[in-house]
């Protein structure tokens, strides 16, 4: 069974304190690695798709990178409104995604 | 911009009743995915459709069925509901090339 593992489970940061979230995945057959943000009781909000090792994408204070074994979501100078659960999902075909358990980020002012 | 629309947003049913959840994908998206998310859990894949045909199946109970219609909207039918079926049910859609997959806001099903 394909596996997606995220770490840490929870992360508390001070406003402005940069950090990274990790997502490791089973390597073989990866078609796409997706990052989502989820607020409580809401649907996952699409952030990025990465396809190949070395690829990077940025959006505001977020930057996602992909290596052959893992993906990182870097958060630069976070603000309290960045507090959410960040999910990564790996797609091994075009029919479904496997989600990690998420990292719950709390940014304190 | 158009997003994935799910209805209803909230649904309360009694045990052994039937529920139907609807999903309207982003225009021109041909693939629909259904996920179930229990409290504090990550989304679990149920089933997906591509061009109105079932393309993959996950941990979907036999009591559940789904289909995608000619206008690409999808419905998830859930029968003989159990307390454990209480969860958020998300639908996602993607278009050709698998470049992005967008989720709806979900339907919160409560079985009492």
């Amino acid at each position: 069974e394909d596996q997606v593992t995220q770490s840490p489970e929870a992360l508390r940061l001070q406003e402005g304190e940069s950090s990274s979230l990790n997502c490791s995945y089973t390597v073989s057959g990866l078609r796409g690695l997706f990052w989502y943000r989820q607020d409580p009781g809401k649907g996952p909000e699409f952030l990025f798709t990465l396809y190949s090792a070395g690829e990077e994408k940025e959006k505001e204070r977020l930057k996602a990178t992909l290596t052959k074994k893992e993906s990182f979501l870097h958060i630069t100078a976070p603000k309290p409104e960045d507090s959410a659960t960040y999910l990564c999902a790996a797609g091994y075909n075009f029919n479904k995604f496997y989600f990690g358990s998420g990292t719950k980020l709390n940014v304190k002012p | 911009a158009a997003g994935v629309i799910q209805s209803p947003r909230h649904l309360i049913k009694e045990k052994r009743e039937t529920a139907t959840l609807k999903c309207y994908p982003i225009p021109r998206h041909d693939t629909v995915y259904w996920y179930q998310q229990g409290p504090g859990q990550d989304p679990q894949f149920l089933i997906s459709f591509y061009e109105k045909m079932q393309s993959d199946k996950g941990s979907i109970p036999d009591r559940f069925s789904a289909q995608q219609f000619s206008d690409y909207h999808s419905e998830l039918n859930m029968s003989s509901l159990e307390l454990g079926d209480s969860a958020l049910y998300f639908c996602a859609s993607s278009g050709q090339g698998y470049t992005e997959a967008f989720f709806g806001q979900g339907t919160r099903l409560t079985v009492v």
Side-chain angles (χ1 to χ4, degrees), chain B:
Chain B
V4 178
I5 306 296
Q6 290 188 247
S7 67
R9 292 293 310 276
H10 303 273
L11 190 58
I12 300 175
K13 290 285 186 178
E14 295 188 355
K15 283 193 304 183
R16 294 179 288 280
E17 283 193 318
T18 297
T20 297
L21 280 54
K22 296 185 179 182
C23 170
Y24 297 86
I26 291 172
R28 292 180 295 280
H29 278 193
D30 51 18
T31 304
V32 168
Y33 314 82
W34 284 98
Y35 281 81
Q36 177 192 58
Q37 188 174 29
Q41 298 179 0
D42 51 284
Q44 296 295 314
F45 173 72
L46 294 177
I47 196 167
S48 61
F49 293 88
Y50 169 68
E51 283 291 345
K52 293 155 277 185
M53 299 286 289
Q54 180 183 308
S55 56
D56 210 333
K57 200 170 181 181
S59 50
I60 183 170
D62 292 340
R63 300 177 287 107
F64 294 7
S65 65
Q67 58 181 322
Q68 187 178 30
F69 294 85
S70 58
D71 63 352
Y72 293 98
H73 95 273
S74 178
E75 294 183 5
L76 178 65
N77 296 293
M78 310 159 70
S79 63
S80 302
L81 286 169
E82 301 174 357
L83 296 177
D85 295 329
S86 296
L88 276 168
Y89 289 84
F90 293 110
C91 162
S93 74
S94 67
Q96 290 185 1
Y98 198 61
T99 54
E100 300 163 334
F102 294 93
F103 281 75
Q105 288 300 313
T107 294
R108 181 177 292 281
L109 173 67
T110 303
V111 181
V112 297

